[in-house]
């Protein structure tokens, strides 16, 4: 992360806080509520941006896991085992991801 990007992000956050404060005052709320909302948005945005930089691939799962479903890769069991309409299709697409016992 370079310093220019960080400074630009801070500048955008300050401008957003001013705009949010003005909008809050126009609807007869204290300006600090608008500033807090803008700050919280900036905090969450910054967290996910940092998480994207620090973790491989960000916070997304593997594409194949998303297609097959995240029940088995994330929890190790099927969430709805009574629905076996697509079990055969999933096993064909991802033989390594779906156990043979399913």
């Amino acid at each position: 992360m370079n310093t220019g990007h960080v400074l630009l992000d801070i500048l955008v956050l300050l401008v957003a806080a001013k705009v949010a404060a003005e909008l809050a005052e126009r609807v007869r709320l204290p300006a600090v509520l608008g500033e807090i909302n803008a700050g919280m948005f900036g905090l969450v945005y910054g967290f996910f941006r940092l998480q994207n930089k620090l973790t491989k691939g960000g916070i997304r799962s593997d594409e194949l896991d998303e297609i097959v479903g995240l029940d088995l890769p994330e929890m190790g069991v099927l969430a709805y085992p009574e629905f076996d309409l697509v079990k055969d299709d999933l096993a064909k697409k991802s033989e390594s991801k779906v156990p043979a016992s399913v």
Side-chain angles (χ1 to χ4, degrees):
M1 217 185 262
N2 105 26
T3 310
H5 289 300
V6 173
L7 292 176
L8 180 63
D9 288 344
I10 292 172
L11 177 66
V12 168
L13 181 60
L14 290 174
V15 170
K18 280 299 202 182
V19 170
E22 182 64 32
L23 290 174
E25 284 183 337
R26 287 182 186 218
V27 293
R28 296 185 182 156
L29 292 173
V32 71
L33 290 179
E35 293 169 347
I36 289 173
N37 282 331
M40 292 304 295
F41 176 79
L43 182 69
V44 170
Y45 174 77
F47 170 76
F48 283 113
R49 189 163 174 174
L50 181 66
Q51 177 116 8
N52 240 0
K53 294 284 185 190
L54 295 179
T55 58
K56 181 182 176 191
I59 59 173
R60 300 274 320 250
S61 298
D62 292 334
E63 184 179 356
L64 186 58
D65 288 340
E66 289 179 357
I67 293 169
V68 172
L70 293 172
D71 299 340
L72 286 174
E74 294 287 328
M75 299 182 298
V77 295
L78 287 174
Y80 302 103
E82 64 273 9
F83 294 121
D84 57 352
L85 298 174
V86 293
K87 232 184 257 185
D88 295 329
D89 294 337
L90 295 178
K92 290 175 189 173
K93 287 181 185 176
S94 167
E95 294 175 5
S96 64
K97 295 287 182 180
V98 179
S101 64
V102 175

